[in-house]
Amino acid sequence: MAMLWSKISAVLPPNEEQFPLQFSDKVESSVVEMLKRCRQQLYSDTTRSSRLLNAQIILDFSWEKLNTGTWRDVDKEWRRVYSYGCLFKVAALCREDPSADEVLQAVKTCDMGLLMGAAIMDDILQVIVRILQSEVRKSTKDEEECEHSQVKRIKIECPRVPVIKEELAVPRIKCPSLESFNTDYLLPLKPVILEGIIDHWPALNQHPWSIEYLRSVAGCRTVPVEVGSRYTDEEWSQTLLTVNEFIDRYILNKDGVKASGYLAQHQLFDQIPELKEDIRLPDYCCLGEGDEDDITVNAWFGPGGTVSPLHQDPQLNFLAQVVGSKYIRLYSPEDTDKLYPHQSQLLHNTSQVEVENPDSERFPEFAKAPYLECVLQPGEVLFIPVRHWHYVRSLELSFSVSFWWS
Ligand SMILES: O=C(O)CCC(=O)C(=O)O
């Protein structure tokens, strides 16, 4: 670990004068003074505890601001202050020959900054977390051997695999031209499964995504996790866990409790660029009107049995299946009145009906709504037209990537 600080200090500005600390008058001068003190301590001799204490003051103060009112109204300046607090804390943790535990704490601190803060100094937290991660990887090589044997112990699940009736099956097409996809599916807004269009992804070839691979590229990273088998359940919640904790708890059920959870989020690929390099934007997205930068890429990683209740989204979607298979049902937006959306503003895009076990007394019209269905297999991509209702149940351990585009 002795080399760690020299690697981190190499990416920091060489001196105090070149270390930027500019804020609008939204940030109280006492906070700016504290930030300056942290900066000064970064370039002078002082105790570790004093550095940590001052960084923590910044973190606690800005955390309060981040958690007051709605997230949308949080001023970006406070998110920048929070990121600086994370940076100073990481520096304090890593400066004097940190223990393995302190390095992990530093990784978590970077992740908190990346998730809750705003980018500062050319995204320096992203640069530092890569340095820290390679340090963690070095010291966990032996453990990985052990993980390997645990992977073999995952019990084989016996999912309820629905039999797809031919007349209800989502049509399939192999590598259509841009023009035929546009004419036959995009313009008329018809769902279709595209085969053979992601065969070249490293996620399916050079670095086949697996539990071991995920542990190796992201095991120690803290990410948002959805806890519960479906987001409409009372006990459903969101939390932050490391990828290793998520795998141990929700995939391997190490606690012995059958728990369900979903690592489903759009920041994952920004947070862990190695995973982003394993996937590609589908070429068909160029037919859209939006910019490439406006495409949202989401990760969906979870055990068999995880359900996304029937819901609709305001954008076009390519749902690409990388690991495992998923049962999917699609309903047209024209049949919304038969799908009983929730009344509340928050869930108005979500149906109240449990698709595979509908309450026909409460929702009598549901059975009359026509639908299409499929089992999406690794290497296949489902085109979900805008506002098409979709219900998804993973049949086994599954990793999918969805692209929301316009
Ligand atoms: O895969 C899932 O569980 C849900 C996917 C989804 O709803 C989406 O991509 O919009």
Side-chain angles (χ1 to χ4, degrees):
M1 299 281 179
M3 289 295 289
L4 182 61
W5 179 243
S6 64
K7 287 184 194 155
I8 292 178
S9 53
V11 300
L12 291 169
N15 52 45
E16 217 179 314
E17 290 68 42
Q18 291 179 52
F19 190 112
L21 270 184
Q22 255 120 37
F23 298 93
S24 73
D25 54 11
K26 288 264 161 58
V27 180
E28 287 96 320
S29 57
S30 57
V31 176
V32 179
E33 281 314 306
M34 183 53 89
L35 284 159
K36 285 184 179 161
R37 190 172 313 163
C38 289
R39 174 174 69 180
Q40 188 238 325
Q41 288 186 326
L42 193 56
Y43 295 97
S44 59
D45 279 339
T46 184
T47 60
R48 179 181 183 280
S49 58
S50 166
R51 286 196 182 98
L52 272 177
L53 179 70
N54 288 338
Q56 199 58 47
I57 291 172
I58 302 284
L59 285 173
D60 291 346
F61 197 88
S62 50
W63 185 253
E64 199 64 37
K65 299 278 183 187
L66 300 189
N67 288 286
T68 305
T70 56
W71 181 247
R72 200 177 335 126
D73 298 328
V74 172
D75 198 286
K76 193 164 169 207
E77 286 296 87
W78 285 110
R79 297 182 56 203
R80 292 181 61 240
V81 172
Y82 183 76
S83 294
Y84 275 103
C86 291
L87 176 60
F88 292 129
K89 180 168 176 180
V90 169
L93 282 167
C94 297
R95 191 158 179 144
E96 286 152 24
D97 202 11
S99 64
D101 216 51
E102 284 166 334
V103 176
L104 286 176
Q105 260 191 65
V107 172
K108 181 169 186 162
T109 306
C110 284
D111 281 324
M112 291 305 290
L114 292 168
L115 291 167
M116 305 293 288
I120 52 164
M121 299 165 65
D122 292 329
D123 226 351
I124 193 163
L125 291 176
Q126 189 67 268
V127 177
I128 293 180
V129 80
R130 289 198 124 178
I131 298 173
L132 294 170
Q133 241 190 303
S134 62
E135 203 65 35
V136 174
R137 259 178 222 147
K138 269 190 246 154
S139 62
T140 50
K141 274 235 150 69
D142 294 347
E143 284 170 34
E144 271 167 25
E145 300 285 312
C146 162
E147 306 301 352
H148 193 74
S149 58
Q150 279 160 355
V151 169
K152 290 189 198 133
R153 269 189 260 130
I154 301 178
K155 63 179 181 320
I156 306 296
E157 293 161 51
C158 299
R160 272 183 297 130
V161 183
V163 179
I164 307 297
K165 291 179 215 79
E166 221 178 293
E167 64 281 14
L168 301 181
V170 178
R172 294 169 170 271
I173 182 162
K174 216 172 166 87
C175 301
S177 65
L178 287 176
E179 200 185 338
S180 66
F181 174 73
N182 194 35
T183 315
D184 299 338
Y185 300 101
L186 181 57
L187 294 175
L189 297 173
K190 283 195 184 152
V192 65
I193 292 172
L194 302 166
E195 295 176 350
I197 69 161
I198 59 169
D199 292 351
H200 61 294
W201 281 15
L204 287 146
N205 295 288
Q206 294 97 307
H207 310 132
W209 283 359
S210 64
I211 289 180
E212 289 141 278
Y213 180 66
L214 214 58
R215 280 195 195 276
S216 76
V217 295
C220 61
R221 304 298 299 278
T222 296
V223 294
V225 167
E226 299 181 352
V227 179
S229 57
R230 59 191 83 208
Y231 67 75
T232 40
D233 288 353
E234 284 271 310
E235 57 278 15
W236 184 89
S237 64
Q238 286 171 303
T239 187
L240 293 169
L241 289 179
T242 66
V243 169
N244 280 336
E245 286 166 342
F246 175 75
I247 291 172
D248 290 342
R249 206 167 297 168
Y250 297 103
I251 308 285
L252 304 178
N253 294 133
K254 272 193 183 167
D255 307 349
V257 179
K258 178 77 188 143
S260 195
Y262 223 163
L263 191 165
Q265 55 145 323
H266 63 272
Q267 290 128 321
L268 188 73
F269 296 108
D270 291 332
Q271 226 183 322
I272 298 148
E274 285 97 331
L275 290 180
K276 195 177 194 169
E277 283 154 23
D278 287 342
I279 61 172
R280 305 282 180 264
L281 280 186
D283 291 343
Y284 305 95
C285 291
C286 74
L287 297 167
E289 284 160 4
D291 263 4
E292 213 174 86
D293 290 346
D294 299 332
I295 299 173
T296 306
V297 187
N298 305 288
W300 307 89
F301 174 56
T306 311
V307 169
S308 288
L310 186 63
H311 69 283
Q312 56 173 188
D313 298 308
Q315 283 186 288
L316 300 157
N317 187 351
F318 282 126
L319 179 61
Q321 192 61 18
V322 181
V323 176
S325 54
K326 279 179 163 171
Y327 171 67
I328 303 176
R329 271 248 203 129
L330 298 170
Y331 290 85
S332 160
E334 286 168 19
D335 294 306
T336 299
D337 54 341
K338 300 188 185 72
L339 305 181
Y340 302 90
H342 282 269
Q343 302 294 316
S344 71
Q345 181 61 22
L346 196 65
L347 285 177
H348 73 280
N349 71 334
T350 303
S351 164
Q352 300 177 65
V353 184
E354 255 188 64
V355 167
E356 292 185 272
N357 183 24
D359 180 337
S360 54
E361 275 179 24
R362 278 181 72 203
F363 310 117
E365 293 299 302
F366 181 68
K368 298 180 196 154
Y371 63 86
L372 291 177
E373 62 180 354
C374 67
V375 172
L376 197 66
Q377 302 284 359
E380 298 178 345
V381 177
L382 173 64
F383 169 59
I384 306 177
V386 59
R387 294 204 187 282
H388 257 66
W389 293 84
H390 45 294
Y391 164 87
V392 185
R393 174 167 62 89
S394 53
L395 299 176
E396 57 201 316
L397 170 75
S398 159
F399 204 145
S400 342
V401 180
S402 67
F403 300 85
W404 290 344
W405 57 294
S406 296

